[in-house]
């Protein structure tokens, strides 16, 4: 199988500015793999402390952008992995997530992790059909 790195601007540039050695999206074997994405501010690429609802919206919009750049969409998502720093955010994240996956949601994991080095509480990655 070959892999195709998908540049997703401005997200790829935001990650490079932070020396993050990861591609935003990779297409291989008929699938699209989207990296776990933190809530980069859409206008500046900075990561700022924001309410968990807004963080989740930003991340899911960025996943939508990555999927679109790779020729896929939210409708084709098979699996999502949600990483969160506090289980108390579960209900809020679910409410936002349900707006993006209103019917036949993909399989999902919700994993609580230690806080990251930045001022954010959620990252989400996914796998979708190409």
């Amino acid at each position: 199988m070959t892999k195709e790195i998908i540049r997703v601007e401005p997200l790829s540039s935001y990650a490079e500015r932070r020396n993050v050695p990861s591609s935003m999206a990779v297409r291989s074997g008929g699938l699209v793999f989207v990296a776990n994405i933190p809530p980069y501010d859409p206008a500046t690429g900075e990561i700022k402390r924001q309410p968990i609802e807004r963080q989740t919206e930003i991340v899911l919009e960025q996943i939508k952008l990555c999927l679109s750049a790779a020729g896929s969409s939210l409708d084709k998502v098979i699996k999502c992995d949600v990483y969160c720093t506090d289980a108390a955010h579960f209900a809020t994240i679910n409410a936002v997530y349900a707006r993006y996956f209103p019917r036949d949601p993909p399989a999902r994991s919700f994993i609580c992790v230690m806080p990251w080095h930045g001022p954010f509480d959620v990252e989400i990655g996914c796998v979708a059909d190409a």
Side-chain angles (χ1 to χ4, degrees):
M1 264 188 265
T2 60
K3 70 178 180 179
E4 178 187 358
I5 305 302
I6 310 296
R7 270 199 79 79
V8 182
E9 290 302 340
L11 301 178
S12 294
S13 292
Y14 296 163
E16 288 168 358
R17 261 195 344 233
R18 289 181 172 73
N19 296 314
V20 176
S22 177
S23 299
M24 292 294 103
V26 176
R27 189 175 22 236
S28 182
L31 297 173
V32 175
F33 300 85
V34 176
N36 291 344
I37 299 175
Y40 291 122
D41 180 274
T44 66
E46 298 306 311
I47 299 174
K48 306 175 203 172
R49 176 67 56 204
Q50 297 191 52
I52 191 64
E53 179 176 15
R54 182 66 185 132
Q55 289 182 54
T56 306
E57 290 167 346
I58 290 170
V59 169
L60 288 167
E61 284 297 322
Q62 292 169 345
I63 285 176
K64 196 161 105 175
L65 178 66
C66 289
L67 291 168
S68 177
S72 189
S73 66
L74 289 175
D75 295 359
K76 296 181 178 183
V77 173
I78 300 164
K79 172 82 162 67
C80 281
D81 293 314
V82 177
Y83 295 89
C84 184
T85 61
D86 190 338
H89 296 315
F90 186 75
T92 302
I93 289 171
N94 273 349
V96 175
Y97 187 90
R99 293 194 325 248
Y100 285 82
F101 299 102
R103 291 179 302 122
D104 302 323
R108 186 184 83 179
S109 298
F110 189 98
I111 303 127
C112 290
V113 297
M114 296 295 292
W116 287 282
H117 59 280
F120 63 99
D121 301 296
V122 66
E123 280 190 350
I124 302 173
C126 71
V127 178
D129 281 326

